[in-house]
Amino acid sequence: MEPVCLLVAEDEALLLIDFEDALIEAGFAVVAATSGVKAMDRLTSADSSIQGIVTDIRLGDRLDGWDIARAAREIDPLMAVVYVTADSAPEWASKGVPNSIMLEKPFAMAQLVTAISQLLNARQSGASAS
C-alpha cells in the first residue's frame, strides 16, 4: 500500500527538515516546498497525489498558507489541512479553511503527526474532524 503523500510548506529550513523527518518516520511520503509559490506548483502539478498539507502561514513570498489551503480545498474539498504558525493563529477563524487544525509554534512533533492523522482519518470516514 502506498504511503499517504503530504505537502509540507515551510520557509524555515531547519523547521522544514524537522517536519519532514517526523512525518516520514510516521510513515508518510512528503513533498517539501520552501515558499508559497513552490507549494502551489507542487499542489497543482498534473501528477500530484497529495492528500494532505501542512503549511506555515507566512511563507515569505506572494502566496501564504491561507492561499495554499484554499487552493488545496478547491482541488479536493476534503483535503486535510494543518496550519503551523508562530504569530497568525488569531486569524485562523476568519482566514482558515473549515475542518482544519492550527498548531502554534513551538509544538511537539507528535502533535503534528497526531493532527494530520486525525484529519486524514476523518477524511476517510467522510466525517468532520472538528
Side-chain angles (χ1 to χ4, degrees), residues 84-105:
V84 294
T85 188
D87 62 5
S88 299
E91 300 173 47
W92 181 41
S94 63
K95 294 186 177 181
V97 296
N99 300 320
S100 59
I101 293 176
M102 171 68 70
L103 295 177
E104 291 189 70
K105 298 174 186 173

Side-chain angles (χ1 to χ4, degrees), residues 55-68:
T55 184
D56 190 6
I57 303 302
R58 299 187 193 282
L59 292 168
D61 60 11
R62 63 182 174 86
L63 296 175
D64 59 23
W66 309 124
D67 297 322
I68 304 306

Side-chain angles (χ1 to χ4, degrees), residues 5-97:
C5 184
L6 303 175
L7 171 64
V8 178
E10 171 61 63
D11 62 339
E12 293 181 47
L14 293 177
L15 285 177
L16 180 60
I17 291 168
D18 286 347
F19 297 166
E20 277 185 285
D21 288 347
L23 293 166
I24 289 169
E25 187 175 307
F28 296 103
V30 174
V31 175
T34 56
S35 72
V37 171
K38 289 177 183 173
M40 191 67 76
D41 288 345
R42 287 170 175 83
L43 184 64
T44 59
S45 71
D47 63 344
S48 176
S49 60
I50 294 168
Q51 297 177 44
I53 63 169
V54 174
T55 184
D56 190 6
I57 303 302
R58 299 187 193 282
L59 292 168
D61 60 11
R62 63 182 174 86
L63 296 175
D64 59 23
W66 309 124
D67 297 322
I68 304 306
R70 282 190 296 272
R73 287 290 179 83
E74 286 177 18
I75 293 166
D76 178 353
L78 298 177
M79 181 79 69
V81 175
V82 174
Y83 296 105
V84 294
T85 188
D87 62 5
S88 299
E91 300 173 47
W92 181 41
S94 63
K95 294 186 177 181
V97 296

